[in-house]
Amino acid sequence: MARHVAKARRAGSSPRASHLTDTILESPMPDKKALIIGAGPAGLSAAIELAKQNIDSILIERSPFAGGHGIYFACKAAESCVKCGACMVEEKIRDAEKNPRITIISGARIKTISHLAPFAVTLQTDGKKRSLSGDALILATGFKPFDPENKPYGYKRFKNVVTHLELEQIIRETGMARRPSDGKPPDRVAFIQCVGSRDSSLGHAWCSKVCCGSALRMAALIKSKRPETQITFFYIDVQNFGKDFVSFYEKIKNEIRMIRSIPGDIFEISGQGLSMSWFDKETDAPVEQIVDMAVLSVGMTPRRPEFLADLLVSDPTEKQSGNGFISESETARLADRGIFVAGAAQGPMSIEDSISDGGFSAFNAAAYIKKQAQKNGPKKTG
Amino acid sequence: MGNKAVEKQNNILNQSTRNSDPAEGKALIIGGGEYAATLAQAFLKENIRPVILAPPEHPARAGARTAFDFAETIFGEALFCHGGAGRFTISIDSAGKKKSLCASVVILAKETRRLPLFESHGIKENPRAISLSAAVSDSGRLADAENIVFMVGLKQESDPVIFEEIADICLDLLPPSDDLPPPKKKIYIFAGNLKVAENHLESLYRQTRRQGAVYFKFTKNPPKISQGADGRVLFQGVDESTRLPFVISPDMTVVDEMIVPSPDFKALSRRMGLEMDENGFIQGDNVHRFSVRTNRKGIFAAGPARKIQGADGDARDAALALSHSRRVIQRMASDSKNRENDGPTAEINPGSCVFCLTCLRSCPHGAVELAPNPTIIKEACEGCGACRSLCPGNAISMTGLDEGAADSKIKETRLNPPDHLPVIASFCCARSGAAALESALAAGQPLPRGLALITLPCAAAISVESIYSAFKNGADGVLILSCHDGNCHSGKGHALARERADYAADFFKKIKMDPKRIKTASLASNMAGAGLKILTDFEQFLMTAGRFSNQKKQ
Amino acid sequence: MTETEQAADRRPPNPVQNLAKINERDRNRFDDDLFFQTRCISCGLCSSSCPISGRREFDPRKIVRMADLGQTRELVESEWPWMCTLCDKCGHVCPSGVNIPEIIRKIRGMREKEKIPGVLGKGIDAAIKTGNNLSLPRDDFEFILEDVADEIAQEKGFEDFVVPIEKKNAAILTTIHNKLVNTHTEDLKPWWKIFHAAKEDWTIPSVNWEGTNWGLFTGDDESMEIMAGRIADNMERLGAKNLLWPE
């Protein structure tokens, strides 16, 4: 049957809500708990949702702090909130930390993990070994930012070439964009989009979704704090972001220079700055310009922790997504066994969607736990 | 989650274990489309009784078979929604008759509409120029065309849902790439910005390219469009990459569409006191509404009622709406207070109330009802304090919030004067200012020793009186740290606080006091550094300005 | 006229009148996705990196696009493919893995030999027939080499210099660029002297010695293979261990 018609039909039969199947009403689950691997926005959100359903959870986090990559993001409000969701990460951290049902173990390395319920996990933290067990498992392991070292932009060679995550961090810590070389605000900034995304030579045939929003919001912030800053935005296709995309984009595209081309090499010319060049198709001529700071919008790449293979117990007949993120079919197989996947571990995702997805996976995990409890509950006599 | 994943999960969790006690409470689902049906089915499975409010002209009305056989359906329009979470009373206009319905929760689930952009492109719809929806629903219309042009995102920005539909049609029409001889069909896609920000769309896009679709991307100069007498569209333009002009008059043109929210939301928003975003979806553009919340507790906006998203997003919304609803109903059934958090709630003292109805008009959460005198709906109150600060008769108090706490704190700080350092009364919103300063403290940054930090649930709770009180009790300066405009949980906290601070500052000017002793600033909870800087800068200013009491004496 | 239309007017070659014709894919001669040109997302990285982009409107992105649109004839007739240095900077930065130098070569190879620029066409014919681009006979070749060798032998320290022609089982076999036995014979001396000083074991074949493979330049794969094959044959025939191909 024609593919698009099949799709419409499938949507019509609404598998949308068929995750939401029979469960009983909330009753406290005193002995039940979930283990959540990763305390980023998705993991935190899952824990909070589980707690609301009276289920305890333990968050196992690799780094020394909760929040994942979310804690690098700055508030980019100029005169008003731009709805990037960065502050929501703080809120989730606060809510999780003060919730008695939620425990966060940070600085933890997972040593072993069982692939069936009850999930036994051994981990190393603070030099000590710990064993945990859970009735459901949620994988919220997030992503790895692309390292643009091998792109011709001089990342790690020239101080003032940074990734968009690093610029977010600079803004978060100092309130505005500043050059790493001397801490002064830049006069000329170039944003280069799609670095490491939409790149089939790297095997990254995906759009990382959030970088257009992050870069343009930072550009708007820079412009509002220092209107004299010259900003150039190099892109391929601008993606939508937020509910106010239409008005936001309409405004920003007239305030900065938007160039639908990606520049080639960046060189440093001492005394002047970073030299970059691109081809202007309207004048059929190469253009060279000097900027103080180049911001590379790096893509989200998969982070497949070692224990994932143990969990997946791979099936040779299974269709892989091929891009390295946890695929739809992998997610389905894991759900069969009480393992749920939340957030950017499945593919590039915004903070907002990661929060939603965390709640969603918790919903499913809770349903699973309750189902198992029912199955294994006291048998009826007679 | 993909459909396969969903089906699989569905199968596992399929054994029914229905609770023998049916849940109290009903869920009113406003919407007459598929999504409303989906939600209703989900709620039913959770033993929550759904009632569907479908529009008056709905086909089911005429007796046609629909998905609503399983749930009680009312045909009409919602007028007003009184009450709070767990006990709403919704008045409905059904075929001219007024009806009233009780429900624990209300879910807005109206479908989006498609707006074909014929007019904006200057194209008349005819058998050779059809809308995308027409192409999707009847693939046969493109079967005989030798060349087809799809338009997407030329005049207005498009979105991934639209692009996916176009890509799917292309893949259906173009055979796999290793077929020989080459396909007769030529498909061109004239695009502005290609929207590929959804899982698999980039791969889908490349697949269409491999199978022969040719994309023309336009940035500044879209092609000129005219139409022949036979209805064929004529495109004349310049290809950006090669700078070569071209002309094409395709057999079929598929005109793009905008996905727009239900036009009913404007009226609903007004009548039910619900926020809307700039696109017309019935959910405020505010991070505190992630994912399915509205400014009124117990009323949720899900799926196509709140944004353009694909099936995955819709599924997530449904689960979250269900989860929230379940909690509301359980709280209703249990004895505990029907509150999401144990924060302060407002209370009106009937003895002092003069019926001015300022509270009713200003409450951002619809938490004031006339029953018969102005009463706070506990299930709706979110404790922001806007009513309290506005009440001209001081008739409103906040339970759980110590009225004198602010005054005592400032007095105390004054009594232990930290040498020559000024006393700063800082009214901070718990979600932003206070959180940021707490982070700074936790990170080992010292706060000014003369700081009297007063945490409020929302900056809306600050009244002009509280600012004057602060000075009376010994403060040298008042700093208000609120959330950014657009980030306030209650909508207008910053604006209200600003208004009051400006009023007080104005008054100070009149009585020859320094208005700069009153400062407002907005920040987010994750900007501890910025918050600290505002505070220390203010402290510096006050040190040079001197004691407030000294100034008074002059 | 709009600015774009005016700009378009200044462009060579032929404006395409009917898009319906644009997409003629000639699968026999320009395999649809052989060079992954359908993957091009018009990002412009190639144009931005190309050392000659902008010269006489050369633009790699434009060339890929024209190839993708099946505008083969226009590309074959234009001068652009002959301006490219085949440096592959474009291919290196392309995020879609489009093999642009190969596209360029392919287009070059589609031009009729008489229309190939300069002496390249004639040179190929000569090379196929005689083993070198100049049709230089073997005797003349050897004479020139020995003449230069004699001159070197008159310099102090190089009295025993001899040019090893057709030596068997040498460590290195080297090809010769035709200009070195034509207009630039002096350029033979410096590296010969280095070999001598290093006591290197090397040789020059006296047949099929041409290192400048104009089959490569002109996209003539058949000629390219023949000429490369002859060098390989030389290696086998003379039993050399390493090939020095300074091209």
Side-chain angles (χ1 to χ4, degrees), chain A residues 2-192:
Chain A
R3 190 186 146 135
H4 58 280
V5 174
K7 229 178 185 172
R9 290 253 180 96
R10 282 204 300 274
S13 66
S14 282
R16 283 170 187 168
S18 56
H19 306 74
L20 321 168
T21 51
D22 324 311
T23 59
I24 52 172
L25 280 183
E26 245 64 285
S27 44
M29 298 260 116
D31 303 323
K32 303 297 175 192
K33 67 175 172 311
L35 298 180
I36 303 176
I37 304 183
L44 290 165
S45 166
I48 292 167
E49 171 67 25
L50 282 168
K52 285 183 185 166
Q53 298 200 36
N54 297 326
I55 298 175
D56 292 350
S57 57
I58 301 179
L59 289 153
I60 303 169
E61 169 57 45
R62 198 174 51 114
S63 63
F65 38 75
H69 286 96
I71 63 152
Y72 296 123
F73 286 85
C75 169
K76 294 175 276 292
E79 288 111 35
S80 52
C81 176
V82 295
K83 276 77 73 170
C84 67
C87 55
M88 284 290 107
V89 180
E90 308 312 293
E91 198 171 285
K92 293 294 167 195
I93 296 175
R94 278 200 307 275
D95 289 349
E97 282 176 349
K98 64 180 190 221
N99 193 310
R101 288 193 179 277
I102 301 174
T103 312
I104 304 178
I105 304 175
S106 48
R109 296 279 149 163
I110 294 186
K111 293 288 164 199
T112 62
I113 185 165
S114 57
H115 68 280
L116 285 175
F119 297 98
V121 174
T122 60
L123 42 91
Q124 188 97 12
T125 171
D126 274 343
K128 282 187 243 125
K129 251 188 158 183
R130 275 183 76 162
S131 296
L132 301 168
S133 76
D135 301 288
L137 198 59
I138 297 182
L139 301 180
T141 47
F143 67 96
K144 220 173 20 186
F146 174 69
D147 181 350
E149 211 179 347
N150 293 326
K151 291 283 176 185
Y153 298 128
Y155 180 69
K156 284 192 183 149
R157 285 187 4 248
F158 309 131
K159 281 215 178 97
N160 293 328
V161 176
V162 296
T163 67
H164 73 291
L165 288 172
E166 288 165 347
L167 182 62
E168 288 265 2
Q169 219 179 339
I170 292 170
I171 294 177
R172 186 190 166 108
E173 285 168 13
T174 71
M176 50 195 293
R178 289 177 192 279
R179 299 191 291 230
S181 60
D182 60 3
K184 293 211 178 75
D187 292 319
R188 297 153 300 184
V189 186
F191 285 90
I192 301 177

Side-chain angles (χ1 to χ4, degrees), chain A residues 303-366:
Chain A
R303 216 178 74 73
R304 286 184 85 94
E306 286 141 25
F307 57 78
L308 190 61
D310 297 336
L311 288 178
L312 276 171
V313 186
S314 49
D315 174 0
T317 64
E318 176 187 283
K319 180 177 180 278
Q320 296 290 322
S321 72
N323 64 13
F325 288 103
I326 300 179
S327 68
E328 280 177 14
S329 52
E330 285 172 331
T331 305
R333 270 206 303 118
L334 290 167
D336 286 355
R337 288 186 267 122
I339 305 171
F340 302 90
V341 189
Q346 298 162 96
M349 221 181 256
S350 63
I351 291 174
E352 179 188 343
D353 285 344
S354 297
I355 289 174
S356 274
D357 206 44
F360 183 53
S361 68
F363 184 90
N364 292 329

Side-chain angles (χ1 to χ4, degrees), chain C residues 150-202:
Chain C
D150 285 343
E151 288 177 15
I152 291 176
Q154 280 160 39
E155 293 183 37
K156 187 143 175 248
F158 292 94
E159 294 82 355
D160 61 339
F161 182 86
V162 168
V163 57
I165 301 175
E166 289 282 318
K167 180 173 171 202
K168 279 203 153 48
N169 303 320
I172 295 177
L173 182 150
T174 180
T175 61
I176 294 287
H177 189 304
N178 59 79
K179 75 176 183 186
L180 293 174
V181 289
N182 187 8
T183 50
H184 287 69
T185 52
E186 284 299 303
D187 290 350
L188 287 167
K189 291 185 182 169
W191 56 282
W192 283 6
K193 285 156 120 178
I194 292 171
F195 272 0
H196 183 263
K199 298 191 177 26
E200 189 54 75
D201 176 18
W202 61 293

